[in-house]
Each structure stands twice: as C-alpha cells, then as structure tokens.
Amino acid sequence: MRQLKRFNCAEDCPVFDGLFNFCQIYTGGSVGGAVRLNHKQTDTVVNWAGGLHHAKKNEASGFCYVNDIVLAILELLKVHQRVLYIDIDIHHGDGVEEAFYTTDRVMTVSFHKFGEYFPGTGHLQDIGQHKGKHYSVNVPLKDGIDDESYNMLFKPVMAKVMEMYAPDAVVFQSGADSLTGDRLGCFNLSIRGHAECLKYMMTFNVPLLVLGGGGYTIRNVARCWTYETGCLLGHELDDKMPVNDYSEYYGPTHTLQISPSNMENQNTPEYLEGVRNRILENLSKIAPKPSVPFHDVPPDAITQEAQEVKEDPDAKGGGAEAEASRRAHHSELEPGEGDRDDRPSRQDHDTRDMNTVTTYEPGSHKFEDAIKDEEDASDVDAIAELGDAAAAGDPGEDADAKVKTTNCDELVLDRDYADGGLGRDDSDELDRAPSVLPGIILNDHDGQ
C-alpha cells in the first residue's frame, strides 16, 4: 500500500486488472501516430484513446497513468524542430507543461478552468522559465463560458502563436469535458463550438496529431469525437442519428448535436479582453523562427533499398545462397592476375630438389664432397631432433632439471656455417648443446 501511495495509485488512479495493457494500447497509439507523421506517411493522425495529460514522470494523476502526449511529442522532436501543444480540456494540462517548461522547442497552450479546480495550476503568469520563458501559454477561464466567448479568445491567440512560433507539427488534445452538461465540467460549449477550434487549426496545413482526453458524460463524448472525426475527414455529418443497437443511450432526442444550457457565463468581455491582451503581449516577446534560404535537401546517407538484407545476416559469408552462388562462378574463387604471387616458395625448392638426382663418378672429388655433405646433413637432423626432445622435457623430472628456453634469434646457424661442414669432431661438441638449449634452427634465407 505504501508503494501505491508513493506513485499516487491509490485514490483517483486506482489499480485494476489489465492496467498495463491499457497503458500500452493508448500510449502506443499516440507514439505510433507520431512516427507516421515523422515519416510523412500522413498529415493527420487521430487517437481518441490518448490525451492523458495529467500523468507525471514519477506518478499517476487525475485518472492518467502514463503521459502519452509527452512521449508522442518527444518522438516528434526527433524530426521536427518545433512542436506546438494545444489543450482544450477543461482541466489544465499540467503534466505536459511541466515536462517542457524550460525548453523553447515545445510551446504549450492550455485553455482551462482556473481557480478552486483540479489540478490548481495554469495561472496566467505561468509563462515558462529559462529558455522556455514565454513558451508556456495559459488561458485561465471561469465557469459557464460559451461558444462565442471561447472562440473570441481561441482564434486570436492561436493566430499569434502560429505567426510567432511557426511550429513544424501540432499536437491537439481535444478533451470533451469542456462540453455543456459534463458531469465534472462547468463550461457551456456545444459540440460545434468545441469542434470549431479543431477546424481552425486545420486551416494552417501543419502535420496534426489529434488526441482524446477527459469527458465524463459518455454519450456526449461519443457525439463530440464522432462529429470531429467527420470534420477531420471533410464530411459534415447529419444531425439525425441512424437507428442502431445503442440508440437508447442517445434518447430522447437521438441527435448528434446537443444544446447549451442556460448557465451563467462568468467570463465578462472585460475579463476576456484583459486575458487576451496579456497573452498577445507575452507572445510578441518571443523570438520569431529564424528564416532559412531555399536549398536542395541532400539525399539520405543510406537508402532504404540498401538497408534491406536479402541474405542471412547471421551466416558467415552471407549465408548458403551466397556460398552456392560463389561455387557456381568458379572465376570468383580464382585469384586475378594482380593477385598471383609468382615468387617460388620454400616448398617449391624442396620439391624441386627431391625430384632432381645428380650422379658423380666414384672416386672423384665431387663424389667425396657429396658424401661429406650428406653426412653433415644427417648430423644436423640428429641435433635438431635431440633439441626438440629436450624442449618437450620429461614430466617426471624435477623443475630445476627442465630445459631452459631461449629466443630462437640468438641461436641461428646460417647457411655459411652449415655449408662449412660439420665434421664428426664438431658433432660431439654440438651433441652437448641440447642439454641446455631447445635446439638449433637452420636459416635458409641466404645469410640474412
């Protein structure tokens, strides 16, 4: 229970079965929509399940567990230089504002009820800090605001924002609890007045991510988002609802639109004018987006075709198909003319010497020299074999009796020394060498 209270999952954000799956679905929809906008696969994405703007980095809040809006904006910032967030939910979008309060890459604009009302933030003077100063715009409203008063603020403020900030993408939170008759709301907007804000933002032709949000009179939430989906598609839906299995929920009128109530509008023209002038003054202080001269966009460093792997990437050499292709073309296995090494190897010399037989007349000087050379070679082979045996050592011998090793470069018998002849007297002296040395290596590199 202590852990639940630590993350505020006890009162207004209770834990229920399938909570994690629920968060995955609505958050994945918002992030996936941002990815589609980044790749220019579409110009408008809708996720009515998203828009949970109260959640913080380390706690749930206001029926919001994961702030999908923040994650979607972070995804958009990978491609877009500036992102604009608009919130027309009756509650202040505190979670999103807090996440981007000190940056100028995201501007947050929230139209909300301010006063003794959840979450209690969103004062007119909350304009951001550090680099984000003047990039947080709060429009505090009072009870009973109607369509005319709402649009009297919304359109001039958003026109100035688009002029000064010039965002590359827009995230629009379309909370339906600002409609008239909402169980937790206190505004008096009609569905057409609510949708007029979305229609106005569509006129700027900027990539648009539309999300849901609050709304606690379910039948009116369904009406609102159905009508606004038609607006996004460019279709004006009929007011008369067709007969269906859920018609009883929309009685007794069975119409798409709802009529505002007669509640008092506490937002006087003087109050609205003062709020608007103050906001426009703050927006005039931000630096306009820097202009960039026209230039050709450079091509991608790696084309999509080059990234496609046809062969098995885990198989060495490209897989079985590549190996079969190389075997089918034997020319690829043979070295080219520039790759061949025409110099004779040591093995070629040995083979040529074995295949060459020279005979001498018995009793001649050459015959005697040949016999002498053969004896010398036999002595050298015997010494080398004894040296190898000494290097291997006997496992049963004591450690002090083992043969010491040395660098072979210090014990090299060059060709001149070997050709000089090793007589039987010399061999006796060399027979003692293996007791302290690993062996003798003959150097056949022409005395180098």
Side-chain angles (χ1 to χ4, degrees):
M1 191 63 182
R2 182 180 300 176
Q3 289 293 331
L4 294 178
K5 290 183 178 180
R6 175 186 175 188
F7 299 105
N8 196 28
C9 294
E11 298 181 5
D12 60 346
C13 298
V15 176
F16 56 88
D17 290 338
L19 174 60
F20 183 71
N21 187 42
F22 166 70
C23 295
Q24 280 184 311
I25 292 173
Y26 78 77
T27 304
S30 299
V31 176
V35 172
R36 294 184 68 87
L37 292 178
N38 285 346
H39 290 279
K40 299 182 179 180
Q41 296 176 340
T42 183
D43 55 359
T44 302
V45 177
V46 181
N47 178 28
W48 293 124
L52 280 70
H53 57 171
H54 293 307
K56 309 296 195 307
K57 181 178 181 180
N58 58 350
E59 68 175 15
S61 176
F63 313 134
C64 303
Y65 298 89
V66 176
N67 199 318
D68 62 296
I69 304 172
V70 172
L71 298 179
I73 292 175
L74 291 175
E75 188 68 27
L76 290 171
L77 290 175
K78 294 179 180 179
V79 174
H80 301 88
Q81 183 180 3
R82 294 185 173 190
V83 176
L84 172 64
Y85 171 69
I86 306 171
D87 193 322
I88 62 173
D89 193 292
I90 194 172
H91 301 96
H92 176 236
D94 56 333
V96 183
E97 179 182 274
E98 180 181 310
F100 304 107
Y101 201 64
T102 60
T103 180
D104 57 356
R105 292 195 63 191
V106 178
M107 174 176 280
T108 60
V109 183
S110 179
F111 298 80
H112 53 271
K113 156 76 173 166
F114 181 76
E116 295 181 358
Y117 199 73
F118 182 85
T121 55
H123 194 277
L124 181 63
Q125 297 178 358
D126 295 338
I127 58 176
Q129 292 181 353
H130 307 299
K131 291 181 65 176
K133 189 175 182 179
H134 300 302
Y135 289 91
S136 292
V137 179
N138 287 295
V139 186
L141 302 172
K142 299 180 181 180
D143 293 358
I145 190 167
D146 54 18
D147 295 350
E148 182 181 358
S149 299
Y150 202 91
N151 283 280
M152 184 176 125
L153 269 178
F154 185 87
K155 290 185 177 180
V157 169
M158 296 315 304
K160 188 67 173 179
V161 167
M162 298 300 290
E163 174 191 351
M164 299 299 296
Y165 192 64
D168 300 318
V170 174
V171 178
F172 192 94
Q173 200 266 19
S174 185
D177 49 7
S178 52
L179 292 173
T180 182
D182 190 81
R183 294 172 61 186
L184 298 183
C186 54
F187 284 176
N188 198 22
L189 297 180
S190 68
I191 291 178
R192 282 195 175 92
H194 192 275
E196 186 63 28
C197 301
L198 183 57
K199 288 181 179 180
Y200 183 72
M201 295 310 303
M202 292 172 59
T203 62
F204 293 97
N205 297 320
V206 178
L208 184 63
L209 175 60
V210 182
L211 306 174
Y216 307 97
T217 302
I218 305 302
R219 58 183 180 272
N220 291 344
V221 174
R223 284 183 167 109
C224 179
W225 291 346
T226 298
Y227 180 74
E228 290 180 350
T229 301
C231 294
L232 292 170
L233 296 173
H235 295 287
E236 185 69 23
L237 301 180
D238 295 334
D239 188 35
K240 188 66 176 178
M241 298 179 63
V243 179
N244 56 75
D245 295 339
Y246 304 95
S247 295
E248 58 180 309
Y249 291 97
Y250 302 96
T253 61
H254 299 286
T255 57
L256 186 62
Q257 301 298 329
I258 57 176
S259 300
S261 66
N262 58 355
M263 68 183 305
E264 179 187 2
N265 184 3
Q266 300 180 11
N267 299 273
T268 63
E270 294 78 15
Y271 173 77
L272 295 176
E273 184 178 358
V275 171
R276 181 185 61 188
N277 293 339
R278 181 65 178 273
I279 293 174
L280 295 179
E281 180 183 354
N282 290 336
L283 289 173
S284 63
K285 297 178 182 179
I286 69 174
K289 185 177 182 179
S291 60
V292 179
F294 289 102
H295 63 280
D296 295 332
V297 179
D300 296 333
I302 301 178
T303 62
Q304 191 169 1
E305 292 78 11
Q307 295 178 351
E308 295 178 359
V309 180
K310 297 181 180 180
E311 304 292 345
D312 184 6
D314 297 328
K316 185 176 180 180
E321 296 182 4
E323 180 65 20
S325 177
R326 286 194 294 268
R327 292 186 179 279
H329 300 81
H330 297 286
S331 59
E332 297 181 2
L333 300 177
E334 296 295 334
E337 294 182 358
D339 298 331
R340 295 181 180 275
D341 190 358
D342 295 331
R343 294 175 299 176
S345 63
R346 179 178 178 179
Q347 183 177 2
D348 296 335
H349 282 294
D350 296 341
T351 305
R352 187 162 53 249
D353 293 341
M354 292 175 61
N355 295 332
T356 303
V357 179
T358 305
T359 58
Y360 300 102
E361 185 70 23
S364 64
H365 293 289
K366 292 183 178 181
F367 181 80
E368 298 293 338
D369 293 340
I371 293 177
K372 186 176 182 181
D373 291 341
E374 184 177 357
E375 293 176 352
D376 295 342
S378 299
D379 293 338
V380 172
D381 292 341
I383 294 172
E385 292 178 0
L386 291 174
D388 293 339
D394 187 358
E397 292 180 356
D398 188 56
D400 296 335
K402 290 185 179 179
V403 179
K404 299 181 181 179
T405 59
T406 184
N407 193 329
C408 61
D409 293 336
E410 300 176 358
L411 192 61
V412 174
L413 186 64
D414 58 20
R415 180 178 295 275
D416 295 335
Y417 182 67
D419 291 343
L422 294 175
R424 298 186 182 275
D425 297 336
D426 298 328
S427 63
D428 295 337
E429 180 179 355
L430 288 176
D431 286 341
R432 294 190 295 271
S435 63
V436 294
L437 296 173
I440 297 177
I441 299 177
L442 294 179
N443 185 345
D444 64 343
H445 296 289
D446 297 332
Q448 295 183 359

